[in-house]
Amino acid sequence: MHDTVKSFQIREIVCIVCPNGCRIRCAQTPDGLQCSGQKCKRGVDYAAAELTHPMRSLTTSVKTAFPDSPVVSVRTDGEIEKAKLIDVAKALGQVIVEHRVKIGDIIAKDICGTGVNIICTSDRLMHP
Amino acid sequence: MMQEQIFDVTVIGAGPAGLAAALAADHAGAKTLLIEREARLGGILKQCIHDGFGLVRYKEKLSGPEYAERFIEQLPQSGVVTWTLSFVSQIKRDGTDSILIVITREGMKQVRTRSLILATGCRERTSRQIGVHGRHCAGVFTAGTAQYYTNILGKLPTKRCVILGSGDIGLIMARRLTLEGAEVVGVYEAKPTPSGLTRNVSQCLWDFEIPLHTSKTVTRLFGDARLAAVEIASVDACMCPIAGTEEIIPCDALILSVGLIPENELAESIGVPIDAKTKGAVVDEHNETLLRGVFSCGNALHVNDLVDYVSESGEIAGKAAASRSNCARGLVPVECDNSLLYIVPQRICRNAEKQDRLFFFRSARDMDNATLTITKGGNTLYAKKFAHLRPPEMERLPIRLTPEQLVGNEPLRFHLEDSEHA
Ligand SMILES: Cc1cc2nc3c(=O)[nH]c(=O)nc-3n(C[C@H](O)[C@H](O)[C@H](O)COP(=O)(O)OP(=O)(O)OC[C@H]3O[C@@H](n4cnc5c(N)ncnc54)[C@H](O)[C@@H]3O)c2cc1C
Ligand code: SF4
């Protein structure tokens, strides 16, 4: 994935912001970050973040106390550091939902000190 | 004699395609029935808990259940009659009406409908269809089955697995199983390039340092009651294993992500002509099949990679089914050569009021700076350049075609040309 052209380090990054999945070639030059291959400006922001502090949203499930739906799906309501994905998923392995929550309800606040909340993404507990 | 219930539009399948079709038909004033064999609405989206749904339609990154709920929550305010836990066992034709025998909780029911929409989704290819040799032991299942166990039943189906095939569901499950604490040894793909979306290779494999091995396949299975190991070998350009490249990988599961096939048992039972390329029905731009009054949409029509287009295809079918007439369509065939994997729709109505037509296609291979041309007889009707085309990424192409351009019975021919050959 790494090659060097004109003495600048080139890195190819796949933008995951939209389904186009543009392959963006990035180079840190004395004039700043140079990008090519992105179909829109959001790709440049994504590449800049990716090179310094990659962020991701997390989708997973947590256990419930209800036999009709033993798990319910959840996600982060914002992005967390990519390096924390596994830790947050592990922490959520300890959570058990004991109320019939609906889409958007908060399951866990400020998970692992990331500042983001975990919210429910399914209404299956509302329609047993 | 069962009492017959009469509807203008009946939709079979309440996944995203069927939900959108039923709501669109209702909106257009049709008396609409929606039939689903499962207890819950939403189809396969119920188990797709990852995000990325609705990016095109809502400009939001929704999970599958959240996306489905946007449609399900509109049903109570609509006039759509919904039957869940109901299975269509037989369809008969009476002129252009369809007569359905439906098995429901209250017993057998008979439905007469003016328009029928088939939104039955797709199913996954299994090991039988790809011919992996060895004992048939527990531990060999599809990525969709792994997804159902993990996301609906809350049971981790493996501790250490190999994924065969690089379809999107396999890539999504590689990440999902890793997050749940299982070890994914690697994703093995017989073709030289991955078949899933590039963004999924990036965010599901690279993010978790899961290796992707292309031009490799599983050649043998080992184990008694439960799978204990698989043999992997490199393949040549003809997909034949290369002797001497075998390696044995201990694992308790082999997860298959080797493709989806449109589900068309019901369609075939009434003689709806099927396209050998898409494995779905042959349709016109309103998603009406060659049988008048029978429509197809969503993944039953062709396997889509974005749910947003699945909903759109349901809406096209629902709207057309509500207002359909039996006037001659003046069908013009639409064909493609082997530079495209397929083209949908496969017919265009010369007599249609609307001149804006929507096509969906996939290129046959990776192409850069490709030019798409549409010809009819000797005339080029349309040309467009594409910077990149990849078979996993479906292209949506709205084109205006006038009645004058559609005169004559010669087919519309779609062709792609690489820059190298231009
Ligand atoms: C396992 C799996 C995972 C997938 N994951 C993704 C993903 O992550 N992202 C993505 O964009 N796409 C995914 N897809 C593709 C997915 O199918 C589409 O995005 C979308 O769900 C298709 O919608 P649909 O309405 O056409 O079909 P479906 O969602 O499959 O819905 C079809 C419905 O028809 C019902 N049905 C079928 N036959 C009958 C019958 N005879 N009588 C009554 N009801 C019937 C079924 O029960 C089902 O509810 C996946 C497909 C599969 C098979
Ligand atoms: S660069 Fe723009 S168009 Fe390309 S994937 Fe990113 S968001 Fe989508």
Side-chain angles (χ1 to χ4, degrees):
Chain A
M1 271 231 302
H2 300 260
D3 60 326
T4 319
V5 181
K6 287 191 286 186
S7 81
F8 299 122
Q9 258 253 309
I10 306 258
R11 234 184 101 183
E12 190 181 89
I13 286 172
V14 175
C15 178
I16 60 167
V17 175
C18 93
N20 283 333
C22 295
R23 290 158 188 266
I24 306 177
R25 285 168 67 83
C26 311
Q28 269 314 338
T29 72
D31 309 328
L33 182 66
Q34 301 284 327
C35 294
S36 64
Q38 68 282 3
K39 281 191 191 150
C40 81
K41 156 104 184 29
R42 286 181 297 172
V44 180
D45 300 338
Y46 177 78
E50 198 60 12
L51 291 173
T52 52
H53 56 284
M55 302 293 280
R56 295 287 183 272
S57 43
L58 171 70
T59 56
T60 182
S61 60
V62 294
K63 293 191 198 74
T64 80
F66 307 101
D68 54 274
S69 286
V71 284
V72 68
S73 58
V74 299
R75 68 175 162 92
T76 49
D77 67 358
E79 293 192 318
I80 59 173
E81 281 170 56
K82 183 172 103 175
K84 286 205 171 154
L85 284 172
I86 298 269
D87 290 346
V88 172
K90 270 203 188 124
L92 288 173
Q94 307 307 314
V95 171
I96 296 177
V97 171
E98 282 166 352
H99 303 281
R100 290 206 174 262
V101 286
K102 60 178 188 309
I103 289 179
D105 284 358
I106 294 180
I107 304 291
K109 277 200 175 128
D110 184 19
I111 186 79
C112 302
T114 54
V116 308
N117 301 323
I118 301 294
I119 56 169
C120 174
T121 60
S122 162
D123 276 351
R124 59 185 302 128
L125 290 174
M126 301 302 291
H127 322 287
Chain B
M1 182 74 198
M2 262 178 288
Q3 207 195 330
E4 192 173 74
Q5 305 195 34
I6 299 173
F7 288 89
D8 297 323
V9 175
T10 299
V11 183
I12 306 181
L19 287 167
L23 287 167
D26 173 73
H27 194 73
K31 186 180 175 206
T32 304
L33 170 65
L34 175 61
I35 303 176
E36 169 57 51
R37 64 183 169 198
E38 291 188 13
R40 291 170 191 273
L41 306 176
I44 215 78
L45 292 183
K46 297 193 292 288
Q47 67 184 58
C48 299
I49 67 164
H50 56 279
D51 63 7
F53 297 89
L55 280 167
V56 179
R57 198 182 179 95
Y58 298 113
K59 307 277 178 287
E60 275 183 74
K61 261 178 151 182
L62 302 171
S63 66
E66 287 172 295
Y67 184 92
E69 197 55 38
R70 300 256 165 133
F71 292 83
I72 296 169
E73 69 189 11
Q74 296 176 44
L75 284 175
Q77 293 96 284
S78 77
V80 176
V81 177
T82 306
W83 295 352
T84 53
L85 291 172
S86 298
F87 184 77
V88 176
S89 68
Q90 201 193 345
I91 307 177
K92 286 179 286 193
R93 297 276 290 164
D94 182 13
T96 61
D97 283 1
S98 299
I99 318 256
L100 278 56
I101 307 294
V102 193
I103 303 176
T104 74
R105 275 169 296 178
E106 297 101 51
M108 202 129 79
K109 291 183 186 170
Q110 181 162 318
V111 171
R112 172 182 290 268
T113 187
R114 226 166 70 76
S115 296
L116 175 65
I117 302 181
L118 300 167
T120 47
C122 60
R123 65 197 139 87
E124 298 173 276
R125 263 183 237 273
T126 61
S127 59
R128 230 175 301 149
Q129 280 142 317
I130 56 165
V132 173
H133 301 287
R135 310 171 62 102
H136 274 270
C137 43
V140 182
F141 42 84
T142 64
T145 304
Q147 195 175 43
Y148 180 77
Y149 268 83
T150 314
N151 296 348
I152 302 288
L153 301 181
K155 294 200 171 109
L156 194 60
T158 174
K159 290 200 172 70
R160 186 175 204 265
C161 66
V162 160
I163 299 183
L164 177 61
S166 55
D168 285 308
I169 313 166
L171 301 177
I172 298 281
M173 283 315 292
R175 171 176 67 180
R176 183 79 191 102
L177 292 167
T178 304
L179 284 171
E180 288 293 329
E183 184 189 351
V184 179
V185 183
V187 175
Y188 295 83
E189 168 60 56
K191 284 183 274 162
T193 52
S195 48
L197 299 175
T198 314
R199 65 193 294 269
N200 283 337
V201 174
S202 175
Q203 63 182 344
C204 299
L205 301 187
W206 296 349
D207 274 6
F208 298 92
E209 286 157 22
I210 300 168
L212 169 66
H213 305 274
T214 51
S215 301
K216 281 185 188 238
T217 193
V218 170
T219 42
R220 275 200 294 167
L221 309 179
F222 303 96
D224 293 320
R226 174 88 193 193
L227 187 73
V230 297
E231 180 190 76
I232 304 277
S234 298
V235 295
D236 60 21
C238 311
M239 304 274 165
C240 296
I242 302 169
T245 62
E246 300 87 355
E247 67 181 294
I248 307 280
I249 298 176
C251 57
D252 66 8
L254 172 65
I255 297 177
L256 305 168
S257 180
V258 288
L260 301 170
I261 321 169
E263 173 65 71
N264 276 302
E265 246 174 75
L266 283 174
E268 284 174 75
S269 77
I270 48 171
V272 170
I274 302 289
D275 180 348
K277 289 179 174 158
T278 57
K279 312 272 190 296
V282 173
V283 293
D284 65 18
E285 71 261 45
H286 308 113
N287 289 347
E288 186 170 1
T289 69
L290 297 186
L291 286 194
R292 292 315 298 264
V294 179
F295 296 73
S296 174
C297 59
N299 278 4
L301 178 56
H302 63 123
V303 176
N304 287 257
D305 31 66
L306 291 180
V307 74
D308 312 69
Y309 297 154
V310 167
S311 302
E312 183 181 31
S313 115
E315 279 160 357
I316 291 171
K319 193 163 169 248
S323 61
R324 109 185 157 77
S325 76
N326 279 327
C327 297
R329 292 185 272 184
L331 291 180
V332 178
V334 179
E335 295 176 356
C336 63
D337 59 17
N338 59 13
S339 58
L340 278 76
L341 277 186
Y342 66 72
I343 177 84
V344 172
Q346 299 90 342
R347 299 285 189 277
I348 284 292
C349 304
R350 189 187 297 118
N351 305 342
E353 247 168 68
K354 267 186 73 186
Q355 299 179 5
D356 297 312
R357 337 263 167 163
L358 195 53
F359 291 95
F360 296 94
F361 73 91
R362 291 176 193 274
S363 65
R365 52 198 156 77
D366 285 23
M367 292 185 184
D368 291 328
N369 301 318
T371 306
L372 174 81
T373 53
I374 308 176
T375 54
K376 186 170 190 312
N379 305 326
T380 301
L381 304 184
Y382 181 86
K384 182 177 172 161
K385 271 204 172 3
F386 292 85
H388 306 286
L389 290 174
R390 295 189 64 231
E393 284 153 25
M394 192 181 76
E395 294 294 327
R396 176 185 183 275
L397 186 68
I399 306 179
R400 198 176 181 85
L401 292 169
T402 62
E404 296 75 53
Q405 289 177 307
L406 295 176
V407 167
N409 284 330
E410 308 95 349
L412 286 179
R413 277 187 208 283
F414 280 65
H415 170 70
L416 280 168
E417 191 95 19
D418 273 272
S419 54
E420 297 147 49
H421 304 102

